Amino acid sequence: MQLAEPGPRGRPPLDDGLLRQLALAYLATASSGPGLVRRLARQFDRPEPTIKDWIAAARERGFLSAAVPGRRGAAPGPRLADDGPGSGGRPQGAGKAHGPGK
């Protein structure tokens, strides 16, 4: 009888695609005021401590700018800013008026 090879232990590594999605959602909703982590937890269907860990990982991997002690919010990190000319790491159409005359 041959024993199965043990699998990797602990949490699987966070995918860059997930951190990119989180960073874009963070940037899109950060201006809505307090409760950002709660809103993201609902959006991603994960507990708030998990979202805080993901935000920290997004900052570490360059999807969000570094935190400023005592201040809320972030800017796109260098990995989001590299998405394309003029994108600034924002989702398509973010921050722009939509429709005629807006």
Side-chain angles (χ1 to χ4, degrees), residues 70-90:
R71 301 196 70 178
R72 185 171 47 235
R79 291 187 68 186
L80 281 185
D82 291 343
D83 278 354
S87 73
R90 291 185 143 170

Side-chain angles (χ1 to χ4, degrees), residues 45-93:
D45 193 28
R46 295 291 186 267
E48 290 182 30
T50 298
I51 296 299
K52 289 179 181 180
D53 289 344
W54 289 3
I55 291 169
R59 290 183 192 280
E60 289 171 9
R61 292 200 207 165
F63 292 106
L64 290 172
S65 65
V68 177
R71 301 196 70 178
R72 185 171 47 235
R79 291 187 68 186
L80 281 185
D82 291 343
D83 278 354
S87 73
R90 291 185 143 170
Q92 195 73 14

Side-chain angles (χ1 to χ4, degrees), residues 9-22:
R9 302 188 115 205
R11 291 181 183 174
L14 289 172
D15 180 57
D16 280 352
L18 172 66
L19 295 180
R20 180 178 303 279
Q21 287 179 332
L22 176 80

